[in-house]
Amino acid sequence: MDEPRQPATLSDRAPVIEPGYTFGSVTDKISSIVLTRPTSNGWFLGFGVAFLLTMMMLYAIGYLFIRGVGIWGVTIPIGWGFAIVNFVWWIGIGHAGTLISAILLLLRQSWRNSINRFAEAMTLFAVACAGTFPLIHMGRPWLFYWLFPYPNSMNYWPQFRSPLVWDVFAVSTYATISFLFWFIGLIPDLATLRDRSTNRWAQMIYGILSLGWRGSARHWHRYETAYLLLAGLATPLVLSVHTVVSFDFAIAIVPGWHTTIFPPYFVAGAIYSGFAMVLMLAIPIRKVYGLEDFITERHLQNSAKVMLATGLIVAYGYGIEAFMGWYSGNRYDAFLLWNRLHGPYAPWYLSLLACNIFIPQLLWIRKLRTSPLALFLLSAVILSGMWLERFIIVVVSLHRDFLTSSWGMYYPTRWDWMTFIGTIGLFVAAMFLFVRILPMISIFEMRTLLPEAEVKE
Amino acid sequence: MKRTPIYGMMAEFDSAQALVDAAHRTHEAGYLKIDAYSPFPIEGLAEAIGFRKNAVPLVVLIGGLLGGLSGYLLQYWISVISYPVNVGGKPYHSWPAFIVVTFEMTILFGGIFAVFGMLALNGLPMPYHPVFNVPRFALATKDRFFLIVFATDAKYSPSTTRSFLEGLGPRSISEVPS
């Protein structure tokens, strides 16, 4: 193998891990957050607020189950309201986790080692939030299992030519694989926690979860093979999931949906919003837990660059949509463009352009890319922009289609908002629990980044 | 396997390099039933202890093929044989529409086989193992590196194996009760 070539600029780049750490100090630093650090009042406050929001979501869903989807703002012609907007938004956010853990692993980007664990956790929780919406938006959610092909007394099977059925398979596969990937990554670290904790209960629980991992060379060898193959499987999977989600739209004939640019444009948008969420989580976490040595400026910069690149792909998608509206000569496509810019939802569309295209161009400025506060705020802007994009795609395309007699407007109700904000609470509450009870940075992968881990044959 | 009160002889090392060198020398000295433990994966360590056969890729291949085939055949059987529905004049066997689910099932089964196949081949979960009887072994998940010669090895003898391991310059040596 070639000697690893060091780019000339490496010296003036921030390192992936600050110098001076040993295997022991890396282990102590990450595991002590879970094992010995007292739970702060700030944690209880943050978790408490997020928990209350989760309760609000459950209240809204409980009322929905009693009264039915009529409590939402959905009406004909806008049959897909907040439920689908939020589903697409959340599942897109999850994509960054898989990108970081699988694609960057295959590309040997070792800087991913310090952010992959919580990015994968973020994926899991985002998919859980996303999965809630298709379930509750069914008129009779207790019959959700009709989505799956199983032998039944009605002699009835799902329709496999429908993208909605593909979506069931894509999302459930994605949830399963994301969980497995996250869990096998955790096994060696759970063994570390088992051996480091002094509390009998913690030893038992971490011991059971670690499956008796003992770090044998044979085990590591098979483990690494399985991990790499899983990354190889997760890479096409993550690209396929948002592609299939975009098929839900692209296969329909509604103007604004029926376009071939959707799959790549959805995937780029997913990664765009996902990295924004990674930054919104990483920036406060590294500050509060003093992890600036592990999640360095380099990680923030790289994430910012990924956002800049995917943001430009998204901008290209908008450009092509506008261009095709004019170039196709199709009056309905042309009207869609006019309606976005001048119709009743024009302020939403203009905010979308500002949040997703114009404001993120500030990331070209190096000073802002290295400022945690600026990145945090820009990430919030991008996440809002991507939510608006989902809203524009779902609502604006549906509200004025081919016949003026069937035009309408969509007004979300308080139940829509309570459910949406509630899922943010669920997501944040799950993240709070995660950083408290599991190592949020992969300890064993951090050890491999240290110079002492190098071995000559 | 004959059950002896002693499971093996374990030596503790300070660095990954020392463990790999020791593993090479132990294997070359004719000890075949050995194992090494480290807090992170070390390239070349599995080869050093004489581990060559890794069945994980084959298991994943079988899982992926099984998933893809069952996904496609399920759709074929449902759409053509059990429940044929005419949708917009499309053929019952409209295979392009079946690709997505076939693909997802390939990934799903491949991934499940990768994880559970790896665990099964590693003999996990295994809550009890004799190496855990050595108190210092708790450091194997932190910053220490261990090499064990199993008592079932043909060359194993409590005195000569101990003196051989001492020659490798370990930090400590302990006998592992089974």
Side-chain angles (χ1 to χ4, degrees):
Chain A
M1 230 173 83
D2 288 340
E3 280 292 302
R5 263 164 305 189
Q6 304 226 324
T9 54
L10 196 72
S11 51
D12 51 52
R13 267 206 215 156
V16 175
I17 175 169
E18 294 292 339
Y21 278 97
T22 63
F23 298 135
S25 62
V26 165
T27 310
D28 287 339
K29 180 139 188 173
I30 302 171
S31 63
S32 69
I33 293 171
V34 177
L35 294 176
T36 54
R37 187 188 158 102
T39 313
S40 65
N41 289 334
W43 187 91
F44 280 111
L45 182 70
F47 177 72
V49 170
F51 184 76
L52 285 177
L53 291 175
T54 312
M55 290 299 109
M56 182 178 81
M57 178 193 82
L58 291 180
Y59 175 65
I61 292 177
Y63 191 64
L64 172 81
F65 284 0
I66 294 167
R67 294 292 306 275
V69 286
I71 65 167
W72 286 351
V74 284
T75 92
I76 300 304
I78 301 108
W80 275 7
F82 261 34
I84 302 303
V85 174
N86 298 334
F87 163 70
V88 179
W89 186 69
W90 272 121
I91 202 132
I93 286 171
H95 278 47
T98 323
L99 180 104
I100 289 169
S101 54
I103 300 183
L104 296 185
L105 178 79
L106 297 182
L107 297 175
R108 293 179 178 266
Q109 297 292 311
S110 57
W111 60 275
R112 79 179 254 293
N113 284 10
S114 34
I115 55 173
N116 69 335
R117 171 70 47 73
F118 77 80
E120 286 167 28
M122 176 197 87
T123 296
L124 271 185
F125 305 144
V127 171
C129 290
T132 308
F133 286 103
L135 288 183
I136 63 172
H137 97 305
M138 290 186 280
R140 293 178 290 170
W142 51 92
L143 297 176
F144 73 95
Y145 56 88
W146 284 10
L147 291 166
F148 293 99
Y150 72 102
N152 55 64
S153 58
M154 300 171 283
N155 270 324
Y156 184 85
W157 292 99
Q159 174 50 259
F160 282 102
R161 295 175 196 91
S162 160
L164 298 177
V165 173
W166 305 345
D167 216 16
V168 172
F169 278 81
V171 173
S172 50
T173 299
Y174 187 48
T176 312
I177 296 293
S178 302
F179 173 76
L180 290 175
F181 206 58
W182 181 70
F183 181 69
I184 76 161
L186 268 170
I187 292 173
D189 285 356
L190 289 167
T192 298
L193 293 183
R194 169 198 69 200
D195 293 342
R196 306 273 308 138
S197 70
T198 46
N199 176 316
R200 186 81 194 128
W201 276 102
Q203 284 173 343
M204 298 236 300
I205 293 167
Y206 290 126
I208 291 168
L209 290 175
S210 68
L211 309 178
W213 182 262
R214 53 188 189 274
S216 154
R218 290 180 174 81
H219 291 189
W220 275 125
H221 194 70
R222 293 198 189 96
Y223 178 91
E224 284 211 293
T225 312
Y227 199 69
L228 200 63
L229 288 172
L230 207 52
L233 289 168
T235 298
L237 174 67
V238 66
L239 299 179
S240 86
V241 174
H242 232 54
T243 301
V244 173
V245 170
S246 80
F247 285 164
D248 291 344
F249 300 93
I251 295 209
I253 56 161
V254 176
W257 287 5
H258 191 62
T259 152
T260 48
I261 191 91
F262 260 31
Y265 152 65
F266 263 57
V267 172
I271 293 164
Y272 191 35
S273 60
F275 266 89
M277 188 60 99
V278 166
L279 282 178
M280 283 199 81
L281 296 173
I283 289 168
I285 283 177
R286 76 197 272 271
K287 181 87 188 147
V288 169
Y289 290 98
L291 293 170
E292 283 96 340
D293 291 350
F294 296 163
I295 304 172
T296 63
E297 216 168 69
R298 171 100 171 269
H299 297 97
L300 303 185
Q301 280 235 41
N302 283 358
S303 307
K305 286 175 187 166
V306 173
M307 290 201 306
L308 196 53
T310 47
L312 290 173
I313 300 176
V314 169
Y316 173 78
Y318 296 156
I320 285 292
E321 274 190 328
F323 173 75
M324 292 310 289
W326 166 74
Y327 183 73
S328 66
N330 180 318
R331 64 154 75 175
Y332 299 105
D333 280 349
F335 173 73
L336 177 86
L337 181 64
W338 181 90
N339 189 40
R340 280 183 178 174
L341 285 166
H342 304 285
Y345 292 104
W348 298 63
Y349 188 62
L350 296 174
S351 330
L352 154 76
L353 295 180
C355 291
N356 270 359
I357 301 184
F358 298 113
I359 299 174
Q361 299 312 314
L362 291 171
L363 290 170
W364 289 103
I365 304 166
R366 191 190 176 88
K367 211 167 190 165
L368 292 181
R369 281 204 310 269
T370 54
S371 150
L373 180 67
L375 280 178
F376 187 81
L377 296 175
L378 278 171
S379 299
V381 166
I382 289 169
L383 278 169
S384 323
M386 285 308 296
W387 187 85
L388 285 169
E389 183 199 300
R390 302 344 186 171
F391 183 86
I392 297 289
I393 288 172
V394 171
V395 173
V396 178
S397 306
L398 282 174
H399 93 119
R400 289 180 169 177
D401 65 356
F402 305 98
L403 286 175
T404 46
S405 59
S406 61
W407 287 6
M409 285 294 286
Y410 174 73
Y411 302 103
T413 65
R414 82 184 92 141
W415 302 103
D416 284 309
W417 286 109
M418 279 163 73
T419 315
F420 171 50
I421 294 167
T423 52
I424 297 177
L426 173 67
F427 177 80
V428 175
M431 283 308 292
F432 265 98
L433 284 178
F434 163 71
V435 299
R436 183 67 194 81
I437 59 179
L438 290 170
M440 68 180 105
I441 294 179
S442 174
I443 308 175
F444 85 91
E445 284 173 308
M446 291 303 279
R447 293 188 194 114
T448 62
L449 291 181
L450 297 173
E452 299 102 295
E454 287 289 316
V455 168
K456 289 190 292 289
E457 285 285 318
Chain B
M1 196 171 77
K2 191 174 56 135
R3 201 167 167 79
T4 54
I6 295 301
Y7 184 73
M9 188 79 73
M10 183 183 266
E12 173 189 352
F13 296 90
D14 274 328
S15 72
Q17 185 70 56
L19 177 66
V20 174
D21 293 342
H24 272 295
R25 284 175 57 190
T26 313
H27 195 255
E28 279 157 19
Y31 290 102
L32 298 178
K33 292 187 176 165
I34 57 175
D35 204 351
Y37 303 93
S38 58
F40 56 87
I42 299 172
E43 195 158 345
L45 185 60
E47 288 77 13
I49 61 162
F51 176 69
R52 301 258 184 275
K53 279 179 285 181
N54 182 356
V56 171
L58 181 68
V59 170
V60 177
L61 178 70
I62 292 171
L65 289 174
L66 201 67
L69 271 177
S70 54
Y72 194 89
L73 292 177
L74 173 83
Q75 296 176 82
Y76 181 86
W77 181 77
I78 287 174
S79 310
V80 179
I81 297 165
S82 174
Y83 193 61
V85 179
N86 187 327
V87 179
K90 293 189 187 85
Y92 292 136
H93 182 206
S94 39
W95 66 267
F98 300 163
I99 294 299
V100 174
V101 171
T102 307
F103 170 80
E104 302 293 345
M105 291 282 281
T106 309
I107 303 283
L108 180 66
F109 276 59
I112 289 175
F113 271 58
V115 172
F116 291 98
M118 180 272 289
L119 291 176
L121 289 167
N122 282 348
L124 298 175
M126 186 187 283
Y128 172 77
H129 192 274
V131 291
F132 294 131
N133 290 331
V134 178
R136 295 195 61 82
F137 191 72
L139 296 173
T141 54
K142 188 187 175 195
D143 56 357
R144 291 292 151 70
F145 303 82
F146 294 84
L147 181 74
I148 188 171
V149 177
F150 295 123
T152 49
D153 191 278
K155 270 193 80 180
Y156 183 87
S157 99
S159 52
T160 54
T161 304
R162 178 180 280 270
S163 58
F164 172 78
L165 288 176
E166 269 165 5
L168 298 172
R171 189 191 174 94
S172 75
I173 289 190
S174 29
E175 204 162 55
V176 185
S178 98

mmCIF file with all atom_site columns, all heavy atoms in Angstrom, chain A residues 18 49 58-60 111 184 360 438:
data_model
loop_
_atom_site.group_PDB
_atom_site.id
_atom_site.type_symbol
_atom_site.label_atom_id
_atom_site.label_alt_id
_atom_site.label_comp_id
_atom_site.label_asym_id
_atom_site.label_entity_id
_atom_site.label_seq_id
_atom_site.pdbx_PDB_ins_code
_atom_site.Cartn_x
_atom_site.Cartn_y
_atom_site.Cartn_z
_atom_site.occupancy
_atom_site.B_iso_or_equiv
_atom_site.pdbx_formal_charge
_atom_site.auth_seq_id
_atom_site.auth_comp_id
_atom_site.auth_asym_id
_atom_site.auth_atom_id
_atom_site.pdbx_PDB_model_num
ATOM 1  N N   . GLU A 1 18  ? -7.518  16.338 19.480 1.00 0.00 ? 18  GLU A N   1
ATOM 2  C CA  . GLU A 1 18  ? -6.417  17.158 19.987 1.00 0.00 ? 18  GLU A CA  1
ATOM 3  C C   . GLU A 1 18  ? -5.301  16.244 20.515 1.00 0.00 ? 18  GLU A C   1
ATOM 4  O O   . GLU A 1 18  ? -5.576  15.157 21.027 1.00 0.00 ? 18  GLU A O   1
ATOM 5  C CB  . GLU A 1 18  ? -6.914  18.077 21.118 1.00 0.00 ? 18  GLU A CB  1
ATOM 6  C CG  . GLU A 1 18  ? -7.909  19.137 20.669 1.00 0.00 ? 18  GLU A CG  1
ATOM 7  C CD  . GLU A 1 18  ? -7.297  20.206 19.765 1.00 0.00 ? 18  GLU A CD  1
ATOM 8  O OE1 . GLU A 1 18  ? -6.065  20.379 19.781 1.00 0.00 ? 18  GLU A OE1 1
ATOM 9  O OE2 . GLU A 1 18  ? -8.059  20.854 19.016 1.00 0.00 ? 18  GLU A OE2 1
ATOM 10 N N   . VAL A 1 49  ? -38.594 19.748 29.732 1.00 0.00 ? 49  VAL A N   1
ATOM 11 C CA  . VAL A 1 49  ? -39.327 20.502 28.705 1.00 0.00 ? 49  VAL A CA  1
ATOM 12 C C   . VAL A 1 49  ? -39.648 19.591 27.530 1.00 0.00 ? 49  VAL A C   1
ATOM 13 O O   . VAL A 1 49  ? -40.783 19.538 27.030 1.00 0.00 ? 49  VAL A O   1
ATOM 14 C CB  . VAL A 1 49  ? -38.499 21.733 28.264 1.00 0.00 ? 49  VAL A CB  1
ATOM 15 C CG1 . VAL A 1 49  ? -39.125 22.380 27.047 1.00 0.00 ? 49  VAL A CG1 1
ATOM 16 C CG2 . VAL A 1 49  ? -38.370 22.721 29.405 1.00 0.00 ? 49  VAL A CG2 1
ATOM 17 N N   . LEU A 1 58  ? -48.616 13.217 22.571 1.00 0.00 ? 58  LEU A N   1
ATOM 18 C CA  . LEU A 1 58  ? -49.466 12.058 22.867 1.00 0.00 ? 58  LEU A CA  1
ATOM 19 C C   . LEU A 1 58  ? -50.914 12.499 23.081 1.00 0.00 ? 58  LEU A C   1
ATOM 20 O O   . LEU A 1 58  ? -51.849 11.808 22.691 1.00 0.00 ? 58  LEU A O   1
ATOM 21 C CB  . LEU A 1 58  ? -48.936 11.312 24.097 1.00 0.00 ? 58  LEU A CB  1
ATOM 22 C CG  . LEU A 1 58  ? -47.609 10.599 23.884 1.00 0.00 ? 58  LEU A CG  1
ATOM 23 C CD1 . LEU A 1 58  ? -47.170 9.899  25.161 1.00 0.00 ? 58  LEU A CD1 1
ATOM 24 C CD2 . LEU A 1 58  ? -47.713 9.577  22.763 1.00 0.00 ? 58  LEU A CD2 1
ATOM 25 N N   . TYR A 1 59  ? -51.080 13.672 23.698 1.00 0.00 ? 59  TYR A N   1
ATOM 26 C CA  . TYR A 1 59  ? -52.440 14.203 23.890 1.00 0.00 ? 59  TYR A CA  1
ATOM 27 C C   . TYR A 1 59  ? -53.090 14.454 22.537 1.00 0.00 ? 59  TYR A C   1
ATOM 28 O O   . TYR A 1 59  ? -54.242 14.036 22.297 1.00 0.00 ? 59  TYR A O   1
ATOM 29 C CB  . TYR A 1 59  ? -52.344 15.490 24.716 1.00 0.00 ? 59  TYR A CB  1
ATOM 30 C CG  . TYR A 1 59  ? -53.658 16.197 24.892 1.00 0.00 ? 59  TYR A CG  1
ATOM 31 C CD1 . TYR A 1 59  ? -54.692 15.610 25.612 1.00 0.00 ? 59  TYR A CD1 1
ATOM 32 C CD2 . TYR A 1 59  ? -53.871 17.458 24.332 1.00 0.00 ? 59  TYR A CD2 1
ATOM 33 C CE1 . TYR A 1 59  ? -55.900 16.255 25.764 1.00 0.00 ? 59  TYR A CE1 1
ATOM 34 C CE2 . TYR A 1 59  ? -55.067 18.111 24.485 1.00 0.00 ? 59  TYR A CE2 1
ATOM 35 C CZ  . TYR A 1 59  ? -56.095 17.506 25.203 1.00 0.00 ? 59  TYR A CZ  1
ATOM 36 O OH  . TYR A 1 59  ? -57.287 18.152 25.349 1.00 0.00 ? 59  TYR A OH  1
ATOM 37 N N   . ALA A 1 60  ? -52.316 15.109 21.633 1.00 0.00 ? 60  ALA A N   1
ATOM 38 C CA  . ALA A 1 60  ? -52.871 15.411 20.308 1.00 0.00 ? 60  ALA A CA  1
ATOM 39 C C   . ALA A 1 60  ? -53.199 14.127 19.558 1.00 0.00 ? 60  ALA A C   1
ATOM 40 O O   . ALA A 1 60  ? -54.235 14.027 18.893 1.00 0.00 ? 60  ALA A O   1
ATOM 41 C CB  . ALA A 1 60  ? -51.878 16.256 19.512 1.00 0.00 ? 60  ALA A CB  1
ATOM 42 N N   . TRP A 1 111 ? -12.378 11.300 10.329 1.00 0.00 ? 111 TRP A N   1
ATOM 43 C CA  . TRP A 1 111 ? -12.953 12.324 11.205 1.00 0.00 ? 111 TRP A CA  1
ATOM 44 C C   . TRP A 1 111 ? -14.369 11.962 11.630 1.00 0.00 ? 111 TRP A C   1
ATOM 45 O O   . TRP A 1 111 ? -14.874 12.464 12.621 1.00 0.00 ? 111 TRP A O   1
ATOM 46 C CB  . TRP A 1 111 ? -12.920 13.711 10.555 1.00 0.00 ? 111 TRP A CB  1
ATOM 47 C CG  . TRP A 1 111 ? -13.672 13.830 9.258  1.00 0.00 ? 111 TRP A CG  1
ATOM 48 C CD1 . TRP A 1 111 ? -13.209 13.519 8.022  1.00 0.00 ? 111 TRP A CD1 1
ATOM 49 C CD2 . TRP A 1 111 ? -15.017 14.301 9.057  1.00 0.00 ? 111 TRP A CD2 1
ATOM 50 N NE1 . TRP A 1 111 ? -14.169 13.753 7.077  1.00 0.00 ? 111 TRP A NE1 1
ATOM 51 C CE2 . TRP A 1 111 ? -15.293 14.239 7.677  1.00 0.00 ? 111 TRP A CE2 1
ATOM 52 C CE3 . TRP A 1 111 ? -16.017 14.769 9.912  1.00 0.00 ? 111 TRP A CE3 1
ATOM 53 C CZ2 . TRP A 1 111 ? -16.509 14.624 7.127  1.00 0.00 ? 111 TRP A CZ2 1
ATOM 54 C CZ3 . TRP A 1 111 ? -17.241 15.155 9.357  1.00 0.00 ? 111 TRP A CZ3 1
ATOM 55 C CH2 . TRP A 1 111 ? -17.471 15.082 7.980  1.00 0.00 ? 111 TRP A CH2 1
ATOM 56 N N   . ILE A 1 184 ? -24.579 -2.626 16.758 1.00 0.00 ? 184 ILE A N   1
ATOM 57 C CA  . ILE A 1 184 ? -23.299 -3.357 16.739 1.00 0.00 ? 184 ILE A CA  1
ATOM 58 C C   . ILE A 1 184 ? -22.141 -2.387 16.956 1.00 0.00 ? 184 ILE A C   1
ATOM 59 O O   . ILE A 1 184 ? -21.127 -2.767 17.518 1.00 0.00 ? 184 ILE A O   1
ATOM 60 C CB  . ILE A 1 184 ? -23.070 -4.289 15.522 1.00 0.00 ? 184 ILE A CB  1
ATOM 61 C CG1 . ILE A 1 184 ? -22.717 -3.550 14.271 1.00 0.00 ? 184 ILE A CG1 1
ATOM 62 C CG2 . ILE A 1 184 ? -24.156 -5.266 15.308 1.00 0.00 ? 184 ILE A CG2 1
ATOM 63 C CD1 . ILE A 1 184 ? -22.049 -4.519 13.281 1.00 0.00 ? 184 ILE A CD1 1
ATOM 64 N N   . PRO A 1 360 ? -27.762 30.458 3.312  1.00 0.00 ? 360 PRO A N   1
ATOM 65 C CA  . PRO A 1 360 ? -26.653 29.507 3.495  1.00 0.00 ? 360 PRO A CA  1
ATOM 66 C C   . PRO A 1 360 ? -25.399 29.841 2.684  1.00 0.00 ? 360 PRO A C   1
ATOM 67 O O   . PRO A 1 360 ? -24.337 29.273 2.955  1.00 0.00 ? 360 PRO A O   1
ATOM 68 C CB  . PRO A 1 360 ? -27.245 28.167 3.050  1.00 0.00 ? 360 PRO A CB  1
ATOM 69 C CG  . PRO A 1 360 ? -28.699 28.324 3.274  1.00 0.00 ? 360 PRO A CG  1
ATOM 70 C CD  . PRO A 1 360 ? -28.996 29.737 2.939  1.00 0.00 ? 360 PRO A CD  1
ATOM 71 N N   . LEU A 1 438 ? -25.792 6.299  27.345 1.00 0.00 ? 438 LEU A N   1
ATOM 72 C CA  . LEU A 1 438 ? -24.920 5.576  26.418 1.00 0.00 ? 438 LEU A CA  1
ATOM 73 C C   . LEU A 1 438 ? -23.766 6.478  26.015 1.00 0.00 ? 438 LEU A C   1
ATOM 74 O O   . LEU A 1 438 ? -23.904 7.699  26.025 1.00 0.00 ? 438 LEU A O   1
ATOM 75 C CB  . LEU A 1 438 ? -25.714 5.136  25.178 1.00 0.00 ? 438 LEU A CB  1
ATOM 76 C CG  . LEU A 1 438 ? -26.750 4.034  25.417 1.00 0.00 ? 438 LEU A CG  1
ATOM 77 C CD1 . LEU A 1 438 ? -27.629 3.853  24.200 1.00 0.00 ? 438 LEU A CD1 1
ATOM 78 C CD2 . LEU A 1 438 ? -26.081 2.720  25.768 1.00 0.00 ? 438 LEU A CD2 1
#
